[in-house]
Amino acid sequence: MKTNSVTPAHKAVLDSLLLQIPGVEAGEMSGLAAYFVNKRMFACLCNGGVGIRLPASAAANLQFSNRNVFPFQPKGIPSTREWVQLNHEDSASYEKDRELFLTSIEFVRAGK
C-alpha cells in the first residue's frame, strides 16, 4: 500500500457519511485528509485506508476480531494504541463502519 495515499472514492464516501453528523468538519492535518470534532481529529485518510481513534480497549479488540483492521502507522510511524487503520477495497464498505465512526466521534468529543 502506498504511504499517505488517498483514494478519492474513499473520501467521497466518508464525506457523505461523516459530514452530515453535527459538529463534524473536514480538514487536513500533517498533509492527511482528516475529519474533526471540536477541532480534534478522529479520523483521517492514510495508507489507502482510514485511520480512526477509539478507546484503546476497543481498538485492541477490533484488531483481534476484524481482518480489515490494522495498527495505524501514518507515514510509516507507529501511532498510539487508540488509533487503528480500517482497510476496505470497496469504498462503500466504510458505510458499514458507521457505528465505529460514531463511537470515535463521541470518544474524541468527550476529550478522553
Side-chain angles (χ1 to χ4, degrees), residues 1 5-7 9-15 17-18 32-35 41-54 62 68-74 82-91 93-95 97 100-101 104:
M1 232 173 262
S5 64
V6 172
T7 304
H10 287 1
K11 182 158 179 9
V13 167
L14 291 172
D15 281 354
L17 178 68
L18 300 175
L32 302 174
Y35 298 91
M41 185 170 70
F42 69 88
C44 67
L45 290 135
C46 186
N47 303 328
V50 179
I52 184 170
R53 185 175 178 206
L54 296 164
L62 270 178
N68 293 326
V69 178
F70 303 91
F72 181 57
Q73 297 184 345
E82 294 177 341
W83 283 89
V84 292
Q85 175 97 18
L86 307 176
N87 289 341
H88 295 298
E89 286 186 32
D90 177 22
S91 300
S93 294
Y94 287 105
E95 293 175 2
D97 295 322
L100 287 176
F101 288 112
S104 177

Side-chain angles (χ1 to χ4, degrees), residues 18 21 24 37 42-43 52-59 62 82 97-112:
L18 300 175
I21 299 168
V24 172
V37 65
F42 69 88
I52 184 170
R53 185 175 178 206
L54 296 164
S57 60
L62 270 178
E82 294 177 341
D97 295 322
R98 180 176 168 74
E99 289 303 315
L100 287 176
F101 288 112
L102 292 174
T103 298
S104 177
I105 290 165
E106 290 309 312
F107 177 66
V108 171
R109 187 176 275 150
K112 296 179 182 173

